[in-house]
């Protein structure tokens, strides 16, 4: 006869129906709104209803964007490494003035919407940006001397801005967790400092470097807004090509082929990345000795450190500062404005957000876009956080269902927003939906994109609540809901807030799926910025920058709050 | 021969090592014993060249090593957490130092094989170090430190992370290997049993100075002062005042006691502390000994003997004796100590 298992200390086996209950809603939601659209893209190619002939496809239209996507992603990644790795060395080994600020700033790119970053570089280096207007004033030029917009360099610069901090954070995190005694052991065994670096430090860092590199490559590979807004029409990556084929040329089959190719690539990279990050947990001894962090010592070291700090500050601060300043300074003429231009500080661009002059592109003032964005974001928070909470609880139930459903929940992380948008317009272009109802689908698409982040935030937080606390509450007389209310909820609160901020900022800044689903009557902020920034006239430009600045401030506040709230030791990546 | 000369080092503004000097002869194992925070690990790291001393020198055969970096000192150091390279397997870990010396491939393979044999782990060559138990890691770390044939081996609490049985077994093995290789060694520990087992010579480090040095039995039988006796837990310490020489008599809270003092006895009227070793209590009390009477308050069976705790006077600390026979709790008991068994120690402030 077997003894009864311990009821209080041991883990009580949960019935599978409980897990199934928790999974019910999220699975239905994902099935209907994520997998159905995804499958519809495949279906498009094989179903006779569309009458698509694969053999008639001009494959050069497929290979060319693929080649360019791989090329730009590789080059961007290499450039990012060239700045990021020295940056990681800097953060791991040295203290320097402004380190805290720089560390805080380094969280920004992760959350900033592409339209904001594009607007930032536009305000810095674009034809109406600080540098060009400055040079024109200085040398009395008629045209902007620096051609930055619509160049390959612009794409690379923005990608480096976005991803340098990923390399720095992931690599310096792994570096500073290295046991300093390993290096010392190598030294005592006769390895010179350079040999120690090559034989001990570098091999131990390799998984972290590779994993960060793959992540950066993935982000560059799926880059959409940057290419569209800074690269211009002559540079088409897979993402941009899918968008153009689907939305401008209405060639859905080609878009579908590109999407499937894109999906295969991103899935491959994501799987490789997950494998690598698992390897990264090289058991650091509990008595590991921390690397000493000190001031730069010798003369040339000081110079290198100073150069790096200045470079990183310039990279991270200059586009954002340019954006903010440019949004409150009038430097050139409004559309149709003649005669002397009143240059100087102005809040005109912000005030104009409430107005709806005749020449506006919209039937509504820009502030309506902000209102729409906010409403969509609030709905996204509601959907993503409730689903995320259900998934987190379902994952905790240790049921065989989880082996299948866990990875299926995380898949939206690998699929690009563009693919999702394409799937949406294929599936939901029929009753009960119609093209007019697409804006209703926006928060749903945003929720799908935010869900993996929410689950990754809530899951570990929930797992981190010791079961003994719940048992204690039960023994002290709390009913099940009361246990949840008194124990789970207060302990989850910070993580709930973090996941809400994630959902908020993702929804506010989302541009890829949005560009498929938006309609002129219901613009969101990124869509409005995209339209305004390419219009002639200082007022349109200024309004675009004003909106970007507002969006940036909201996102910055969000990420700084997340940094303060996140569990110690839990990095975003 | 290693010479450590007036090494000084401060940690966060507090002096950690105050002019520490000692030597290590060829084929001698010395044990650096001290409580945690006494600076013994720091001293090792200074000798290894991993840290710089603020003053003083480390010399090898009379040559100053101050400007010789760690990787050129040809010393071996076994770390407290072993610091095995997680990206290398057992054999590669052991080969590391040999590779740094630029030895030919087959020689390295040969030496690694020999090292694996020494630690009885030949079948572990291809194993990942992260899959090894604590004791196995410890042996690999030792083999790695020894393989390049260092001029000096330093071991920083090498058994600290292991459980008791394993510690005793590995301590024996360590002794064997140190004897066989005849490498001069500095062994750092806070565990006196370990120190007694392994050391040819003990250095007792306390408050940044070497309080006493000598062979284990010397220190055990002749602790230099009260602190040393306390550190080794040698027995009951009773404070008193010297009242008479020849025979040496010390006035204690339980009356005058005749005692023995090697060397110069303290002056009459000076404070002194007497060491009563529990194992030297005689029962029944003998004529001519110093009788001690107290109430039996506790008794622990220790296999060979009983550790009996007595209360002589509620105002005094309790007093422990080791006896062959069990006693009855609550009953008074009289034991005696022979005058020549009682050691009279310098009292109070550790004079330096």
């Amino acid at each position: 006869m077997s003894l009864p298992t311990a009821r209080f200390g041991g883990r009580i086996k949960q019935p599978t129906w409980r897990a199934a209950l928790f999974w019910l809603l999220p699975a239905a939601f994902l099935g209907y709104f994520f997998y159905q659209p995804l499958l519809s893209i495949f279906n498009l190619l094989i179903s006779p209803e569309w009458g698509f002939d694969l053999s008639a496809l001009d494959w050069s239209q497929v290979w060319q964007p693929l080649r360019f996507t791989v090329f730009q992603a590789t080059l961007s990644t290499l450039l990012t490494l060239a700045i990021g790795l020295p940056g990681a060395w800097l953060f791991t080994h040295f203290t320097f003035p402004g380190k805290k600020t720089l560390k805080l700033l380094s969280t920004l790119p992760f959350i900033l919407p592409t339209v904001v970053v594009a607007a930032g570089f536009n305000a810095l280096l674009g034809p109406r940006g600080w540098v060009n207007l400055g040079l024109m004033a200085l040398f009395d030029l008629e045209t902007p001397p620096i051609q930055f917009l619509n160049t390959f360099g612009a794409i690379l610069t923005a990608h480096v801005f976005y991803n340098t901090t990923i390399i720095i954070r992931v690599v310096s995190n792994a570096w500073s967790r290295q046991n300093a005694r390993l290096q010392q052991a190598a030294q005592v065994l006769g390895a010179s400092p350079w040999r120690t670096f090559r034989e001990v430090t570098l091999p131990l860092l390799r998984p972290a470097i590779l994993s960060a590199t793959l992540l950066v490559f993935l982000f560059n590979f799926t880059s959409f807004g940057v290419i569209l807004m800074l690269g211009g029409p002559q540079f088409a990556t897979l993402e941009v090509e899918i968008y153009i084929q689907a939305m401008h040329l209405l060639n859905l089959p080609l878009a579908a082929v590109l999407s499937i190719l894109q999906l295969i690539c991103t899935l491959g990279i994501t799987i490789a990345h997950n494998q690598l990050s698992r390897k990264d947990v090289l058991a650091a001894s509990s008595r590991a000795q921390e690397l000493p962090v000190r001031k730069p010592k010798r003369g040339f070291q000081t110079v290198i450190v100073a150069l790096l700090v200045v470079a990183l500050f310039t990279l991270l601060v200059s586009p954002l500062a340019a954006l903010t300043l440019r949004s409150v300074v009038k430097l050139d003429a409004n559309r149709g404005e003649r005669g002397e231009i009143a240059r100087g500080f102005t809040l005109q661009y912000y005030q104009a957000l409430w107005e709806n002059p005749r020449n506006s592109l919209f039937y509504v003032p820009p502030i309506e876009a902000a209102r729409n964005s906010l409403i969509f974001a609030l709905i996204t928070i509601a959907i993503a956080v409730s689903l995320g909470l259900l998934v987190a609880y379902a994952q905790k139930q240790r049921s065989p269902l989880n082996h299948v459903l866990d990875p299926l929940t995380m898949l939206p992380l690998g699929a690009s927003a563009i693919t999702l948008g394409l799937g949406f317009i294929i599936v939901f272009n029929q009753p009960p939906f119609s093209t007019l109802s697409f804006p209703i689908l926006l928060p749903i698409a945003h929720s799908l994109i935010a869900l993996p982040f929410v689950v990754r935030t809530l899951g570990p937080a929930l797992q981190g609540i010791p079961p003994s606390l719940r048992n204690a509450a039960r023994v002290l007389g709390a009913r099940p809901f009361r246990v949840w209310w008194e124990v789970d909820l207060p302990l989850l609160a910070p993580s709930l807030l973090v996941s809400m901020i994630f959902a908020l900022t993702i929804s506010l800044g989302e541009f890829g799926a949005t560009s498929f689903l938006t309609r002129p009557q219901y613009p969101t902020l990124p869509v409005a910025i995209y339209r305004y920034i390419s219009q002639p006239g200082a007022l349109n430009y200024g309004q675009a920058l004003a909106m970007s600045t507002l969006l940036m401030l909201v996102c910055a506040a969000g990420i700084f709050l997340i940094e303060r709230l996140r569990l110690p030791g839990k990095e975003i990546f | 021969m290693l010479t450590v000369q007036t090494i000084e080092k401060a940690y966060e503004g507090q002096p950690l090592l105050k002019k520490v000097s000692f030597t290590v002869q060829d084929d001698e194992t010395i044990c650096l014993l001290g409580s945690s925070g006494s600076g013994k690990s720091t001293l090792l790291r200074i000798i290894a060249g991993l840290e710089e001393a603020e003053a003083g020198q480390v010399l090898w055969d009379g040559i100053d090593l101050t400007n010789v970096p760690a990787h050129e000192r040809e010393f071996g150091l076994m770390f407290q957490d072993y610091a095995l390279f997680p990206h290398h397997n057992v054999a590669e870990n052991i080969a590391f130092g040999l590779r740094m010396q630029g030895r030919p491939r087959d020689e390295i393979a040969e030496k690694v094989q020999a090292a694996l044999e020494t630690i009885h782990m030949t079948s572990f060559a291809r194993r990942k170090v992260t899959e090894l138990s604590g004791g196995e890691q410890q042996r690999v770390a030792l083999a790695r430190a020894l393989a390049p044939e260092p001029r000096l081996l330093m071991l920083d609490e090498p058994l600290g992370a292991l459980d008791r049985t394993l510690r005793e077994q590995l301590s024996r093995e360590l002794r064997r290997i140190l004897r066989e290789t005849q490498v001069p060694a500095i062994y750092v520990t806070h565990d006196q049993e370990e120190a007694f087992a392994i050391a040819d010579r003990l250095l007792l480090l306390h408050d940044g100075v070497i309080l006493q040095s000598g062979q284990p039995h010397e220190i055990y039988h002749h602790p230099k002062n009260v602190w040393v006796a306390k550190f080794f837990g040698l027995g009951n310490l009773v404070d008193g005042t010297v009242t008479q020489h020849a025979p040496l008599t010390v006035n204690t809270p339980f009356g005058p006691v005749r005692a023995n003092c090697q060397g110069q006895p303290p002056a009459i009227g000076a404070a002194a502390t007497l060491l009563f070793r529990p194992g030297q209590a005689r029962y029944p009390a003998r004529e001519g000994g110093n009788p001690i009477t107290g109430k039996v308050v506790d008794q622990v069976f220790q296999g060979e003997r009983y550790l009996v705790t007595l209360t002589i006077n509620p105002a005094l600390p309790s007093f422990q004796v080791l006896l062959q026979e069990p006693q009855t709790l609550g009953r008074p008991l009289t034991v005696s100590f022979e005058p020549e068994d009682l050691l009279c120690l310098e009292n109070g402030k550790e004079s330096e």
Side-chain angles (χ1 to χ4, degrees):
Chain A
M1 200 189 97
S2 65
L3 291 164
T5 45
R7 293 291 299 267
F8 298 102
R11 214 163 254 142
I12 304 162
K13 202 169 186 300
Q14 309 276 6
T16 297
W17 63 263
R18 266 183 74 172
L21 208 62
F22 279 121
W23 276 121
L24 194 65
L25 258 175
F29 185 85
L30 282 174
Y32 192 74
F33 288 112
F34 182 72
Y35 288 99
Q36 189 196 189
L38 216 59
L39 290 176
S40 75
I41 298 177
F42 286 91
N43 193 41
L44 183 73
L45 296 182
I46 46 174
S47 138
E49 178 193 339
W50 290 83
F52 175 66
D53 183 10
L54 251 185
S55 58
L57 189 71
D58 176 8
W59 284 97
S60 71
Q61 279 184 293
V62 175
W63 300 135
Q64 208 192 329
L66 177 67
R67 230 182 354 249
F68 177 68
T69 306
V70 173
F71 172 66
Q72 65 82 13
T74 310
L75 201 58
S76 302
T77 306
L78 289 178
L79 278 175
T80 308
L81 283 171
I83 301 182
L85 289 180
W89 172 75
L90 175 78
F91 268 92
T92 317
H93 290 85
F94 298 105
T95 55
F96 50 86
K99 186 171 183 176
K100 268 195 172 158
T101 320
L102 197 55
K103 195 157 190 182
L104 199 60
L105 280 173
S106 73
T107 55
L108 261 181
F110 180 72
I111 206 98
L112 279 186
T114 45
V115 283
V116 171
V117 175
F121 278 108
N122 198 318
L124 183 67
L125 294 166
R128 287 178 280 187
W130 286 103
V131 173
N132 271 324
L133 289 187
L135 290 173
M136 281 159 74
L138 207 58
F139 298 107
D140 222 4
L141 302 172
E142 281 297 305
T143 50
I146 296 175
Q147 167 72 19
F148 178 76
L149 285 188
N150 302 339
T151 64
F152 191 44
I155 296 175
L156 296 179
T157 312
H159 284 169
V160 169
F161 170 86
Y162 257 113
N163 297 318
T164 300
T165 56
I166 294 179
I167 303 276
I168 293 182
R169 284 181 85 94
V170 174
V171 176
S172 76
N173 189 30
W175 207 333
S176 54
R177 273 187 297 132
Q178 266 189 16
N179 184 353
R181 291 214 187 88
L182 292 176
Q183 272 93 313
Q184 294 166 358
Q187 262 176 283
V188 175
L189 288 165
S192 62
W194 165 240
R195 195 106 195 247
T196 304
F197 177 77
R198 226 181 53 206
E199 300 244 5
V200 178
T201 311
L202 200 56
L204 291 175
L205 274 185
R206 195 170 293 141
I209 295 177
L210 277 178
S211 131
T213 306
L214 269 182
L215 195 65
V216 169
F217 186 82
L218 179 69
F219 287 163
N220 288 331
F221 194 90
T222 55
S223 169
F224 173 69
V226 163
I227 314 263
L228 201 64
M229 291 183 69
L230 290 177
Q234 77 269 39
F235 298 108
T237 55
L238 282 175
E239 300 265 305
V240 173
E241 196 61 29
I242 294 168
Y243 170 73
I244 292 172
Q245 292 297 338
M247 299 306 282
H248 292 181
L249 306 176
L250 303 176
N251 187 351
L252 285 183
L254 181 57
V257 172
L258 292 166
S259 267
I260 289 166
L261 189 64
Q262 162 90 353
L263 197 63
I264 293 169
C265 294
T266 51
L267 271 185
I269 305 171
T270 312
I271 290 167
H273 174 252
N274 281 347
Q275 294 290 350
L276 273 171
S277 353
R278 214 164 292 154
K279 255 197 211 159
D280 187 29
V281 269
L282 263 178
S285 149
S286 53
R287 298 204 205 173
Q289 195 191 6
E290 283 175 19
L291 288 173
V293 182
R294 52 180 172 74
K295 286 185 184 158
K297 236 195 294 185
R298 284 151 295 175
F300 83 100
Q301 221 171 47
T302 319
V303 173
I304 293 176
V305 165
L307 282 176
L308 267 173
V309 173
V310 170
L312 286 174
F313 262 107
T314 312
L315 179 67
L316 291 176
V317 175
S318 64
L320 303 182
L323 170 65
T324 314
L325 292 178
R326 192 67 180 83
S327 75
V328 291
V329 174
K330 186 169 158 70
L331 289 174
D332 50 357
N334 287 344
R335 199 176 183 190
E337 196 177 79
R338 285 173 208 287
E340 195 66 19
I341 310 158
R343 291 196 170 82
F345 177 80
T346 177
L347 288 175
Q348 183 191 5
Y349 304 139
Y350 286 88
Q351 285 152 1
L353 295 182
W354 273 264
E355 291 156 12
N356 184 19
R358 259 180 314 118
N359 63 356
S360 165
L361 266 150
F362 296 99
Y363 315 116
V364 292
I367 199 68
E368 286 279 300
R371 211 199 58 187
N372 291 339
S373 272
L374 207 59
I375 292 171
F376 292 146
L378 290 177
I379 302 173
T380 303
I381 291 175
I383 298 176
V385 173
S386 2
L387 289 179
L389 211 51
L390 284 173
V391 172
Y393 272 98
Q395 286 176 338
K396 211 173 68 74
Q397 302 296 324
R398 355 203 129 264
S399 124
L401 273 176
N402 292 0
H403 297 298
V404 189
L405 291 174
D406 272 358
L408 288 184
T409 322
M410 288 325 231
L411 200 64
L413 199 58
S416 79
I418 297 297
T419 306
L420 192 64
L422 177 65
F424 265 47
I425 62 166
I426 294 173
V427 172
F428 301 120
N429 198 8
Q430 49 205 323
F433 301 99
S434 73
T435 45
L436 281 180
S437 61
F438 278 170
I440 301 172
L441 293 171
L442 265 177
I444 292 174
H446 291 178
S447 301
L448 285 167
I449 296 165
L451 190 60
F453 292 93
V454 173
V455 172
R456 279 196 177 181
T457 309
L458 291 180
L462 193 62
Q463 308 274 2
I465 300 176
S468 58
L469 293 184
R470 292 197 193 96
N471 290 342
R474 266 160 68 190
V475 173
L476 289 167
R479 287 167 193 282
F481 177 75
R482 196 71 196 274
V483 171
W484 185 83
W485 182 256
E486 301 275 348
V487 178
D488 287 36
L489 191 61
L491 291 176
L492 275 183
S495 305
L496 271 173
L497 191 55
V498 168
S499 60
M500 285 176 176
I501 297 171
F502 268 133
L504 173 84
T505 48
I506 286 170
S507 171
L508 283 182
E510 212 288 324
F511 187 55
T514 309
S515 53
F516 280 83
L517 299 173
T518 184
R519 287 293 167 271
Q521 308 90 297
Y522 302 104
T524 64
L525 267 183
V527 171
I529 293 168
Y530 175 53
R531 299 263 174 86
Y532 269 81
I533 203 162
S534 43
Q535 292 306 309
L539 187 61
N540 285 332
Y541 188 67
Q543 287 187 85
L545 299 190
M547 284 187 280
S548 300
T549 307
L550 290 177
L551 196 49
M552 178 188 78
L553 291 178
V554 172
C555 292
I559 192 74
F560 293 158
L561 203 56
I562 287 178
E563 275 295 293
R564 301 208 58 169
L565 287 173
R566 75 189 159 85
L567 299 178
K570 296 270 177 225
E571 284 283 328
I572 309 173
F573 310 110
Chain B
M1 187 182 79
L2 179 83
T3 312
V4 172
Q5 236 169 36
T6 58
I7 291 288
E8 288 180 54
K9 177 84 181 173
Y11 181 69
E12 287 175 358
Q14 295 292 316
L16 184 63
L17 300 171
K18 306 171 193 162
K19 301 202 171 164
V20 172
S21 303
F22 64 92
T23 58
V24 184
Q25 303 294 331
D26 297 343
D27 84 22
E28 182 187 34
T29 300
I30 71 153
C31 214
L32 210 50
L33 187 63
S35 42
S36 56
S38 61
K40 39 193 197 329
S41 291
T42 308
L43 187 53
L44 270 202
R45 296 164 57 76
I46 289 171
I47 298 170
L50 295 171
E51 243 170 85
E52 281 172 28
E54 275 133 27
Q57 288 99 43
V58 175
L59 301 104
W60 184 260
D61 288 341
I63 298 162
D64 186 358
L65 298 181
T66 307
N67 292 321
V68 180
H71 65 276
E72 287 170 12
R73 291 199 181 187
E74 295 173 49
F75 290 169
L77 173 57
M78 189 175 147
F79 289 80
Q80 199 171 2
D81 63 351
Y82 313 137
L84 295 176
F85 301 128
H87 57 304
H88 287 318
N89 65 25
V90 169
E92 288 163 350
N93 260 282
I94 298 174
F96 192 92
L98 296 164
R99 278 203 299 123
M100 295 306 121
Q101 294 176 344
R103 309 252 186 140
R105 225 168 237 274
D106 22 327
E107 190 193 333
I108 293 179
E110 215 171 277
K111 294 211 170 199
V112 168
Q113 187 59 30
L116 284 167
E117 273 162 27
T118 313
I119 57 169
H120 305 306
M121 284 180 70
T122 34
S123 58
F124 285 72
R126 305 267 158 263
R127 286 275 282 277
K128 277 188 168 179
V129 290
T130 44
E131 289 166 359
L132 301 180
S133 72
E136 287 159 355
Q137 287 186 26
Q138 192 263 358
R139 275 142 72 192
V140 173
L142 179 65
R144 184 180 71 177
L146 280 173
E149 293 165 9
R151 309 189 280 189
L152 170 78
L153 179 65
M154 293 178 276
L155 305 104
D156 189 0
E157 305 249 4
L159 305 176
L162 306 174
D163 63 54
R164 195 181 171 80
T165 14
L166 200 56
R167 237 176 21 219
E168 282 168 14
Q169 181 199 334
L170 285 170
S171 161
R172 267 197 302 281
E173 207 166 318
L174 255 175
R175 213 160 47 217
R176 172 181 65 84
I177 291 170
L178 288 178
R179 213 172 32 235
E180 281 172 10
T181 53
Q182 295 199 319
V183 59
I186 305 178
Y187 188 108
V188 160
T189 181
H190 66 272
D191 184 308
Q192 43 161 313
E193 280 179 42
E194 223 177 289
F196 284 152
I198 227 134
D200 297 324
R201 197 150 56 88
L202 270 181
L203 298 178
L204 197 58
L205 191 66
H206 177 62
D207 256 353
V209 295
I210 292 177
L211 212 52
Q212 189 172 4
S213 73
Q215 293 181 343
H217 69 91
E218 280 173 9
I219 296 185
Y220 189 83
H221 290 299
H222 308 290
K224 190 180 170 190
N225 60 21
V226 174
W227 191 88
V228 178
K230 264 190 195 152
F231 182 80
F232 286 109
L234 294 180
N236 309 289
L237 293 162
V238 178
D239 294 333
T241 319
V242 178
T243 55
Q244 190 187 330
H245 284 161
L248 180 68
T249 308
V250 178
N251 209 2
T252 71
F254 38 87
V257 172
R258 276 171 301 123
N260 173 23
C261 193
Q262 264 113 16
Q264 193 68 29
I268 292 178
T273 299
L274 293 177
L275 170 64
F276 294 77
R277 294 178 198 259
Q280 287 169 331
R282 310 286 173 108
Y283 178 80
R286 286 187 18 169
E287 253 340 278
N290 296 299
I292 303 279
T293 305
K295 196 168 81 169
V296 177
V297 291
D298 189 27
Q299 168 164 275
V300 181
F301 177 57
Q302 289 196 329
E304 299 279 312
R305 289 192 278 189
Y306 291 86
L307 180 69
V308 178
T309 306
L310 301 176
T311 303
I312 297 163
N313 172 341
L316 294 173
S318 55
F319 194 92
Q320 294 186 312
V321 292
L322 277 168
L323 302 177
Q324 295 287 345
E325 306 83 4
Q327 304 298 323
T328 317
L329 286 184
R331 295 280 290 277
L333 175 75
T334 303
V335 297
S336 70
F337 284 85
E338 298 298 304
E340 58 269 26
D341 288 341
L342 295 184
L343 205 58
C344 174
L345 301 168
E346 297 169 28
N347 190 353
K349 325 297 160 265
E350 287 101 49
S351 50
E352 272 309 319

